[in-house]
Amino acid sequence: MRILEIRTPAGDTTGGSIVTHGEIIDAIESSIHQVELLSPKNLQPELSVALRSSLSRLSSLPPLPEPAKLRLWKLSYRLWNACVDLANTAGHSDSDCVSPSFYEEHAMLRQVAADLITFAGSIPGVPSADLKSASFLQKTGVLWHGLRRFDLASACFDRAAELASKIEPASSEEDRRFLLDLNVSRAATAFESPSGRVLALALLGRSKKLVAGDPEKHRLLAEQYFSFGKQLLARDQSSEAEESIKLLNEALDLSERGMKIAESENEAASLKDLRAKTLRFMAAAHLQSEGYEDVLRCVKAMSETVGGGGDHPSLGFLAMKGYLGLGRYDEAENELMQMAGNCRIPAEVCLSAVEVFMKEAAEIGVEGAKAVFMGLVERCAVCPSDAVRIVERVLVGGGAVRARLAAELASEERVVALFRENGAGKDRAVMHAFLWNQSGADLFRCKDYKTSSLMFEKSMLYIPYDAEGRNLRAKCFRVLCLCYLALSQCDRAQEYINEADKLEPGIVSAFLKFKVNLEKKDDDGAIAQIQSMTKCIDFDPQFLTLASHEAVACKALTVAVFALSELLNRCTSSSSSSSDMREVSILRNALVLLLRLPEREQDALVLLRRARDRMAELGAERLFGNQKDTGGRELKWFANHAWNMGMKAGKDRCYAKSAEFLDLASEFYCAIENGDDGMADGEEMACKSLILAVSGMLNAEKESKLAMADCDVRKALFLLDKAGKILSAILNKQFAESTIEANFVFLYTFNNFELRGRINDPSSQVQAIQSYINTKFCIAKHLLQLGLHAADGALANPEAAKLALTTCLKIDLTSPSPDYRTVALILRKLIGVSISRNGSREEAEAAAMEIYQQAHQIIVGLQGGEYPVEEVKWLSTTAWNRSGMHVKLGRFTAAQKWMKMGLHLAKLVPEMEAYAVSMIQCLAQFEKTEAGSMERGSA
């Protein structure tokens, strides 16, 4: 309930005394008199508070008599007029002299004036009293609306509408104008609330019947429709665009109807201006909703109406955007050209049009847009910031075509001249940034190096010639070098990097020179450039790493190895742990690269020696890392590669290198930490490596046909002794997962035998063979090889040969299926060894006879052909022939023994039957002769 509707019982007293109407009205008049004496700058809220308090007290009294009502009416008008004077004074005063609270206090006084006249009510003799009261409320509501106090404005309009409802429909023209103003004002306030939009449109629709026949009323209502449409359009929401178009259509319809009935030129002109403005905003609304055909219709409607806005600067702009939306780029370009040729259109509008055109159709209307902009540069005072805006719009959307157009615009002499003026430094930096970052760098990342190089070149036009510009220019030259390297234009890249080096010498320029040499396949030049890089003041070892990567990418492995070698030299001189960890990676990478190069085994050997020496110097864990983590893998990698290179060198018959590689492998394997079983994980491989290394040394001697030097023999013995200790531990442990093969045990024994012979230690040779016989890895074929080697050569050892061959014979004969060819070979060698052994002739004869007898025992009982026939023939023949020497020397008993052995062996072979007959006859003749000799001797 509003305060003016509150009533209190008659006879209410305040302070114990009865207050009359006259006293309260006197207080009101006194307050109004004070208002009349005030100025805008000293208007205080106490007066409006006092007036509202007096009016509240007055409303609590019985109804006013007629004289009191009349007096209130007059006081209401006095207060209203005083407010008008205050408003006029404030309007003509300096804004600084008016307090910000003045306007709200002024509206509050107007509200009190409206409340006074409304409280007084109708007075006999006063015409249209309700209309006057409603007018006060309506005008006060307009003030509250202007202050955006929409709740107070709405309350005023509602009370005014309540009073206006009493006006007869067929009232005067003044009444209809008031009703129109009230509806329009009330609609404007209701439209501010989303829930009140329906009411606002209903009020405007209700007002259409009030404008009939009056152009001014048509304009007033059309302007309100236009205001609503403009507000919705300003929200820039596609959902609001359609509603905005409907409201603007209403405004257009009202303005056109008003034009038809306008009688004066002023009325027609104002309606035409409103129509043109409405059409422009309708075109904008259609643009927002992408109704490009409707945009062109609006433009056409404005163009066809004389004085209807056809010459407005925005007309061509709207038409151009409509054509662009429809994809009619030629017509859009024509509109743009017409705008540029129209001197009445401001340069700012033309520049905005060029911006839009560049953004939408830069790839199609290149020449036209460029010509328009150049024309504007000549015609108008275009500033550098305008050129920056245009280039920015061209680059929006990206792409090579737009970038080339931006480059053309930016490189125009007339455009560049704009940035030479004083104060253009900031815009010049912005233009450089656009050409560099928004275009050149983006295209470079997209690998469009041709276009990006163009953008970088044009960006240099906007670099000042000062200290900072010198650095930027050098940077541009370096980036251009990269672009032309990517385009495989090495000569141009060389030119640019040379220029950069002149401006800003340093490691970056030196590195790019290195890249140019790589691309030109100039490995020698690249290596020389690496050496130059290391002499730069700002040199960083990381550039050597980068250089190695680049060289590998260009397949210049020799250059990559050189870069890593330089880096390795620097890491070796550093004592930091991080450098040490880095060193092993460098060693590994360099070794991998060397393995990919032909005939670089010697360099790989040097690297492995270096790794071995650094391991001895720093310790395995410090060089390779924690063996429980990556260090163990690194160490095994080096050991395995040394092993593999050693085996490869051995296959290639490079035995000396093979021995060195395997010797290094053994040291790496020995450095591997012990496993759970107490043995080092790499000791078995170390043992194998040592054995094969000694074998390589011995094979190298045979290959070169030069005897080993004493120091080499001692070294080989040292390696073999080391292997023997490991092998002994392995054999004693007898762990199930041992990977030591029988071949390596034999090879160890063979090498040991060979080297012990070099130092003339036959007993150790025999001991070596005996030790081998006692192992579980002893097999017949290896014993045979040992026996044959011990039996032949200048360093033959008959005792060792006999031990090996005898044991081998036993193993062969005890096998399920003996190889009698091998048995025959062993018997032959044993016979030969028995002859060459140290001792008396009788002992040698006895030993030989023993072997022949053993052979006879072996052959007896065998099936025909099971034992080689030729071997039996050889045994029989040699045994028979041995008797000849004894016959000559008169040792008839020994001769008879060997003859009988030969005969017994011959009888075992059917093929020797003829020989056996002759032997029998010869033996009988020999016995007969021997018997006759014995008889003569006894006689």
Side-chain angles (χ1 to χ4, degrees), residues 507 528-545 547 561-584 586-587 607 610 614 617-618:
I507 184 60
Q529 195 58 44
I530 290 176
Q531 293 172 333
S532 300
M533 286 166 56
T534 59
K535 298 175 183 177
C536 292
I537 297 175
D538 55 344
F539 171 73
D540 187 332
Q542 291 292 341
F543 279 93
L544 290 175
T545 305
V561 171
F562 184 83
L564 290 174
S565 299
E566 285 291 320
L567 185 60
L568 191 60
N569 293 334
R570 293 180 176 271
C571 289
T572 304
S573 62
S574 173
S575 59
S576 64
S577 59
S578 60
S579 177
D580 295 337
M581 286 299 294
R582 181 178 173 77
E583 182 179 356
V584 70
I586 299 168
L587 284 165
L607 282 178
R610 183 170 192 155
R614 292 292 285 170
E617 178 184 346
L618 302 174

Side-chain angles (χ1 to χ4, degrees), residues 333 357-358 361-372 401-402 404-406 408-409:
E333 186 176 348
F357 188 84
M358 292 292 192
E363 299 181 8
I364 299 171
V366 174
E367 294 302 325
K370 181 180 174 184
V372 170
V401 175
R402 288 178 175 271
R404 283 192 288 270
L405 173 58
E408 289 182 23
L409 287 173

Side-chain angles (χ1 to χ4, degrees), residues 493-514:
Q494 184 80 57
E495 293 174 8
Y496 280 118
I497 195 56
N498 288 339
E499 291 298 322
D501 194 44
K502 292 176 185 177
L503 293 172
E504 193 179 30
I507 184 60
V508 178
S509 297
F511 179 76
L512 288 177
K513 284 184 177 181
F514 166 77

Side-chain angles (χ1 to χ4, degrees), residues 432-548:
H432 172 76
F434 273 131
L435 296 174
W436 178 284
N437 295 325
Q438 194 166 338
S439 183
D442 289 344
L443 291 168
F444 187 89
R445 282 189 287 270
C446 295
K447 299 186 178 180
D448 186 355
Y449 302 113
K450 185 174 182 180
T451 309
S452 67
S453 65
L454 175 65
M455 301 308 295
F456 290 132
E457 287 174 353
K458 301 308 179 186
S459 72
M460 294 179 69
L461 296 171
Y462 298 91
I463 298 178
Y465 286 89
D466 54 16
E468 183 180 356
R470 183 184 182 91
N471 295 335
L472 281 175
R473 203 173 297 278
K475 182 180 179 182
C476 281
F477 281 133
R478 290 194 292 267
V479 173
L480 284 168
C481 171
L482 289 174
C483 290
Y484 285 107
L485 277 177
L487 294 170
S488 299
Q489 298 182 26
C490 298
D491 292 335
R492 292 200 66 179
Q494 184 80 57
E495 293 174 8
Y496 280 118
I497 195 56
N498 288 339
E499 291 298 322
D501 194 44
K502 292 176 185 177
L503 293 172
E504 193 179 30
I507 184 60
V508 178
S509 297
F511 179 76
L512 288 177
K513 284 184 177 181
F514 166 77
K515 279 181 64 71
V516 171
N517 287 326
L518 282 181
E519 293 293 333
K520 294 171 75 173
K521 308 298 182 184
D522 183 6
D523 289 0
D524 294 336
I527 291 173
Q529 195 58 44
I530 290 176
Q531 293 172 333
S532 300
M533 286 166 56
T534 59
K535 298 175 183 177
C536 292
I537 297 175
D538 55 344
F539 171 73
D540 187 332
Q542 291 292 341
F543 279 93
L544 290 175
T545 305
L546 190 58
S548 67

